[in-house]
């Protein structure tokens, strides 16, 4: 039996690794599946663990108020040393581009343990955008033995960096596996009504109303802190003031660099709803109810096209150009005027909206975790 140690620390990692964990656990005769969380993000991580019924075997619980990248790096690496010494895994799986993922790969390298990287090969080739994620994933690739690329483009990026072709597998993105699982669970009228009642009771947000277009917003990227978030918030305010027939819903990230400008600029506007971060099930429900999505998130660029929702990306670069090429995603940056124009064009031009919403999702078919498991079954003999 081979011991597979999966390491993650944030909500997006947990969402994307949950289908892999649950798929691997179906092969009890072949794999001992061990889960270690750093809890780089505590509260938002715990929500996802609960939804997907994952109980970590090891919890480093590193999150502290006002932590910086040095804190996360040092605490993760030191904590993982002790876990690796205890578990002695045959392979370590990390996901994406967080500092936790990079440290998992580095710790595995120090112990000469093979590394599998889920969602390998994403690149902007701008080392400061997104920061620190671009360098995290690039450096992790240099330590990885099994590269699970979500798309052909990400595979091409890895080949360009001289990663051997036989070490790369195109699997699709596991976030689509997780998304479709949650969407299937929400089809019953009882579940729909429960979610509608939650938003009505907590925020007086009436999602059953059909004559109002809902714009869903998320924003948390480190490279947007400061002036970038100021411009984003000014744009959202302008959209709300120009179109009082729309509702803007913004689950505000817990980071004070986000909450500060958001509360200062957007509080008190009648058609802007500033709400607390949502559990993943609630967020998927809100995505499904939305008309369009404005975000700086990477994962949402992948998820929204599966739901037929156009996405405006409020970043100056993206490591996911496949969505743009497919026509489902548009890059608008953090310029106030570009954001306002992008949103109003989609609200006021039905043909443009129809074209974006009907685009095919290039990020997968919901079987990525199955493909990853098949590779490990074949390779870990």
């Amino acid at each position: 039996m081979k011991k597979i140690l999966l390491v993650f620390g944030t909500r997006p990692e947990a969402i994307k690794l949950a289908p892999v964990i649950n798929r691997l656990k179906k092969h009890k005769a072949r794999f001992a599946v061990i889960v270690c969380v750093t809890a780089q993000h505590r509260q938002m991580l715990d929500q996802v663990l609960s939804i997907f019924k994952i109980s970590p075997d090891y919890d480093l619980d590193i999150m502290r108020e006002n932590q910086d990248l040095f804190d996360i790096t040092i605490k993760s690496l030191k904590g993982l040393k002790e876990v690796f010494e205890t578990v002695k895994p045959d392979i370590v799986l990390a996901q994406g581009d967080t500092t936790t993922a990079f440290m998992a790969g580095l710790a595995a390298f120090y112990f000469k343990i093979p590394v599998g990287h889920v969602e390998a090969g994403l690149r902007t080739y701008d080392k400061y955008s997104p920061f620190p994620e671009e360098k995290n994933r690039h450096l992790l690739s240099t330590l990885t033995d099994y590269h699970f690329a979500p798309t052909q483009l990400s595979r091409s990026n890895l080949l360009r960096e001289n990663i051997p072709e036989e070490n790369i597998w195109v699997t699709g993105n596991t976030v689509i596996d997780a998304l479709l699982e949650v969407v299937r669970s929400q089809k019953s009228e009882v579940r729909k009504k429960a979610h509608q009642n939650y938003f009505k009771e907590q925020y007086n947000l009436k999602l059953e109303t059909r004559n109002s277009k809902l714009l869903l917003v998320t924003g948390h990227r480190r490279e947007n802190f400061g002036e970038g978030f100021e411009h984003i918030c000014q744009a959202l305010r302008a959209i709300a003031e120009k179109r009082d027939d729309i509702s803007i819903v913004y689950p505000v990230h817990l980071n004070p660099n986000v909450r500060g400008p958001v509360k200062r600029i957007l509080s008190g506007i009648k058609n802007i709803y500033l709400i607390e971060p949502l559990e993943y099930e609630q967020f998927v429900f809100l995505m499904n109810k939305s008309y369009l999505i404005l975000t700086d998130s990477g994962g949402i660029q992948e998820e929204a096209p599966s739901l037929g929702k156009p996405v405006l990306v409020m970043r100056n670069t993206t490591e996911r150009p496949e969505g743009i090429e497919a026509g489902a995603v548009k890059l608008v940056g953090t310029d106030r005027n570009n954001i306002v124009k992008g949103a109003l064009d989609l609200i006021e031009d039905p043909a443009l909206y129809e074209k974006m919403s009907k685009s095919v999702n290039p990020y997968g078919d919901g079987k990525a975790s199955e493909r990853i498991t098949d590779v490990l079954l074949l390779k870990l003999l």
Side-chain angles (χ1 to χ4, degrees):
M1 182 182 289
K2 298 294 184 179
K3 289 188 281 188
I4 301 179
L5 177 63
L6 297 99
V7 180
F8 53 96
T10 66
R11 167 176 157 148
E13 290 170 284
I15 292 168
K16 293 181 175 186
L17 281 180
V20 180
I21 292 168
N22 291 332
R23 173 66 63 170
L24 289 171
K25 284 185 174 180
K26 293 182 178 180
H27 299 274
K28 294 180 180 179
R30 289 289 305 277
F31 300 138
V33 180
I34 302 135
V35 174
C36 173
V37 298
T38 64
Q40 179 179 329
H41 294 164
R42 179 78 271 172
Q43 179 183 339
M44 298 170 79
L45 170 67
D46 290 343
Q47 293 173 355
V48 178
L49 294 175
S50 174
I51 291 167
F52 290 101
K53 299 179 174 60
I54 295 171
S55 298
D57 301 283
Y58 297 90
D59 188 337
L60 303 185
D61 195 24
I62 68 167
M63 184 175 175
R64 297 293 180 271
E65 188 174 352
N66 297 320
Q67 65 186 4
D68 60 24
L69 293 173
F70 294 93
D71 298 323
I72 298 168
T73 298
I74 293 165
K75 290 176 182 176
S76 294
L77 194 58
K78 185 176 180 181
L80 289 171
K81 176 178 183 288
E82 297 174 5
V83 173
F84 282 35
E85 287 174 335
T86 302
V87 174
K88 296 180 173 59
D90 294 292
I91 185 172
V92 173
L93 294 186
Q95 194 284 329
D97 51 23
T98 66
T99 301
T100 288
F102 176 33
M103 289 304 101
L106 186 60
F109 169 69
Y110 287 162
F111 281 96
K112 298 183 179 179
I113 298 168
V115 176
H117 184 196
V118 177
E119 198 181 82
L122 278 66
R123 299 287 187 270
T124 65
Y125 295 107
D126 177 345
K127 73 177 183 179
Y128 295 121
S129 181
F131 175 81
E133 290 83 3
E134 176 67 12
K135 272 299 149 188
N136 282 345
R137 58 182 165 235
H138 178 228
L139 293 169
L140 179 54
S141 290
T142 68
L143 304 170
T144 295
D145 303 274
Y146 301 87
H147 301 261
F148 300 114
T151 67
Q152 288 292 340
L153 179 59
S154 51
R155 176 181 181 272
S156 298
N157 291 337
L158 294 168
L159 291 172
R160 195 178 302 120
E161 295 166 15
N162 297 316
I163 303 297
E165 184 176 5
E166 62 270 22
N167 294 351
I168 306 170
W169 294 266
V170 177
T171 61
N173 199 302
T174 58
V175 75
I176 307 303
D177 303 28
L179 174 70
L180 296 181
E181 180 181 335
V182 171
V183 169
R184 283 191 293 269
S185 75
Q186 295 184 346
K187 287 186 176 179
S188 75
E189 289 301 318
V190 173
R191 296 293 289 274
K192 288 179 186 177
K193 196 68 177 177
H195 286 305
Q196 287 177 345
N197 288 342
Y198 171 82
F199 287 107
K200 186 175 182 179
E201 291 168 6
Q202 292 293 319
Y203 303 108
N204 197 30
L205 182 58
K206 299 174 183 178
L207 295 176
E208 65 272 16
T209 303
R210 297 185 181 279
N211 59 352
S212 176
K213 291 184 171 70
L214 190 155
L215 276 59
L216 177 60
V217 178
T218 75
H220 69 279
R221 304 300 296 201
R222 189 180 295 268
E223 68 265 25
N224 283 344
F225 289 174
E227 187 178 77
F229 266 107
E230 296 277 340
H231 292 169
I232 288 170
C233 292
Q234 290 164 7
L236 296 174
R237 185 181 186 110
I239 294 166
E241 290 173 346
K242 287 176 183 289
R243 294 295 301 251
D244 61 4
D245 60 327
I246 65 162
S247 298
I248 296 176
V249 181
Y250 189 167
V252 185
H253 198 278
L254 297 173
N255 192 307
N257 292 292
V258 177
R259 293 176 88 85
V262 168
K263 297 286 187 181
R264 175 166 43 82
I265 298 172
L266 298 178
S267 290
I269 301 173
K270 66 177 183 178
N271 56 335
I272 294 183
Y273 297 81
L274 302 178
I275 67 178
E276 291 303 304
L278 298 170
E279 293 188 5
Y280 186 58
E281 287 180 301
Q282 295 167 336
F283 187 75
V284 169
F285 181 79
L286 209 53
M287 279 201 294
N288 238 338
K289 284 287 185 179
S290 68
Y291 183 76
L292 69 92
I293 300 173
L294 298 92
T295 186
D296 64 7
S297 163
I300 293 170
Q301 294 177 56
E302 298 156 347
E303 292 170 301
S306 284
L307 302 175
K309 308 299 177 181
V311 180
L312 299 179
V313 179
M314 299 182 294
R315 288 165 56 181
N316 296 319
T317 60
T318 180
E319 63 279 28
R320 295 168 172 86
E322 298 94 337
I324 296 173
E325 292 169 7
V329 174
K330 183 178 181 181
L331 197 68
V332 293
T334 58
D335 179 83
R336 175 191 179 279
N337 293 333
N338 285 348
I339 296 169
V340 173
K341 183 178 186 306
L344 293 181
D345 284 350
L346 282 165
I347 293 168
E348 297 168 358
D349 186 341
L352 175 63
Y353 183 87
E354 179 80 3
K355 183 179 178 181
M356 287 189 72
S357 65
K358 297 296 184 184
S359 300
V360 175
N361 188 345
Y363 297 110
D365 57 4
K367 296 180 179 179
S369 55
E370 182 179 337
R371 296 186 184 101
I372 291 167
T373 300
D374 287 345
V375 171
L376 296 176
L377 284 166
L378 180 65
K379 294 293 181 178
L380 299 183
L381 300 175

